[in-house]
Amino acid sequence: MDAVRLILTSRQALAASSEMSGTLTEVWQAQALAQAIGSRLAVSGPPELRGEALGLTELAGRGCGVLDTPDLDTGALRAAQLTELDDAREALLALGGLLGEVGIALVGVASGASDEARYWQCMEAIDAADESRDRVLEMLRKLAAREEALPER
């Protein structure tokens, strides 16, 4: 499935989640999807994005790692459904929006956390989402610079 479509599905699922466990599952799904997109761009994306894409893969993996792994069937794992990444710019724009929403959702979960461990888990996940979003924004900047340089050639 196309990356943009998967990102939009994740955004809708995150917005629809109302319980803490559902929100954390959707946050984990979003980070796993960011990791898969980063991996795809690192391997076969534009050369100028590969370093940042590798960083996104590592940061999003950290975002998954600090959260409890949800009990999902393989078919429900959106990252595993990623088959196409046709337009890197469009996918990165959508992913940046999703990661911003992930941070906001995690702030809500952290503020309602009943124990300190859950609170700090959310804080670490917020940090990973924020740093992942920074990588996405840097890749978008590099794509824009690439597009500006193309007419000069």
Side-chain angles (χ1 to χ4, degrees), residues 24 27-28 31 59-60 62-68 99 102-107 109-110 118-133:
L24 289 175
V27 164
W28 190 92
Q31 288 283 28
L59 288 165
R62 189 183 83 191
C64 287
V66 299
L67 298 171
D68 297 329
L99 290 169
V102 161
I104 292 167
L106 284 166
V107 168
V109 172
R118 174 73 71 195
Y119 173 82
W120 286 111
Q121 181 184 45
C122 289
M123 290 296 109
E124 288 182 41
I126 289 168
D127 185 46
D130 187 49
E131 289 181 39
S132 294
R133 188 166 185 269

Side-chain angles (χ1 to χ4, degrees), residues 81-112:
Q81 297 172 26
L82 178 64
T83 58
E84 299 174 37
L85 205 160
D86 294 329
D87 186 343
R89 183 181 178 282
E90 186 179 1
L92 289 170
L93 283 169
L95 184 59
L98 174 61
L99 290 169
E101 291 167 9
V102 161
I104 292 167
L106 284 166
V107 168
V109 172
S111 67

Side-chain angles (χ1 to χ4, degrees), residues 1-11 33 37 82 84-95:
M1 188 178 299
D2 180 59
V4 174
R5 188 169 166 204
L6 287 169
I7 293 166
L8 293 176
T9 300
S10 285
R11 289 178 89 166
L33 184 55
I37 291 169
L82 178 64
E84 299 174 37
L85 205 160
D86 294 329
D87 186 343
R89 183 181 178 282
E90 186 179 1
L92 289 170
L93 283 169
L95 184 59

Side-chain angles (χ1 to χ4, degrees), residues 29-45:
Q29 284 261 43
Q31 288 283 28
L33 184 55
Q35 185 178 25
I37 291 169
S39 179
R40 177 72 58 97
L41 287 171
V43 171
S44 59

